[in-house]
Amino acid sequence: MIPEVTSHWNISWQYDGRHYCEYDFQTLYAPCCGDCGRFIVGRVINAMQQSWHPECFKCINCQCELANIGYVKNSGKPLCKQCSAELKGSGKAICYKCHFPIHDGGITHHGMKYHPHHFNCYKC
């Protein structure tokens, strides 16, 4: 996938021997970011069954970028190794809904942890 400048204001993308305008190329081949929802052209981070821009894949606790330092999954959410170690040391889990630490009496449902006030039955 190599972008080519075809005129002063037009960029075309070549893929599999075919040329595409930027819009068609993104629509057909570019994944969408799991955070911002925009197309990803360039470096893609594939983690947690989603694609991410490197700048969008962040620790849910401290907001540091995880693309180059790795991550730990906690209740289905990405944490940097430092925040994960701090939470493990404190014995706290991360709420799946609000992404903040659970201090007292969390609820676990299908492997995900919630604050009691954030767990709502979808049938009630």
Side-chain angles (χ1 to χ4, degrees):
M1 133 178 90
I2 302 168
E4 294 180 356
V5 177
T6 57
S7 69
H8 224 305
W9 56 89
N10 256 344
I11 295 179
S12 73
W13 294 83
Q14 183 177 353
Y15 184 73
D16 252 354
R18 296 181 179 176
H19 292 273
Y20 298 91
C21 69
E22 186 174 12
Y23 175 79
D24 285 344
F25 176 80
Q26 289 177 346
T27 302
L28 293 170
Y29 299 110
C32 289
C33 179
D35 180 49
C36 70
R38 292 180 292 133
F39 290 118
I40 304 170
V41 176
R43 185 173 177 209
V44 177
I45 305 299
N46 291 308
M48 300 176 36
Q49 300 177 346
Q50 293 187 38
S51 299
W52 311 80
H53 291 105
E55 63 274 11
C56 290
F57 189 55
K58 297 179 181 180
C59 173
I60 60 158
N61 195 39
C62 71
Q63 298 300 308
C64 72
E65 290 183 16
L66 300 172
N68 296 319
I69 62 172
Y71 73 99
V72 176
K73 188 175 173 181
N74 184 317
S75 294
K77 302 295 179 185
L79 288 171
C80 67
K81 292 176 183 175
Q82 182 178 345
C83 287
S84 177
E86 289 172 6
L87 286 171
K88 280 186 181 178
S90 68
K92 297 176 186 168
I94 297 290
C95 177
Y96 185 75
K97 187 169 184 180
C98 73
H99 316 300
F100 285 102
I102 299 171
H103 298 287
D104 298 316
I107 294 172
T108 302
H109 180 67
H110 292 294
M112 305 301 174
K113 299 185 184 328
Y114 299 86
H115 287 109
H117 57 279
H118 285 148
F119 182 74
N120 300 330
C121 177
Y122 70 93
K123 291 184 178 181
C124 296

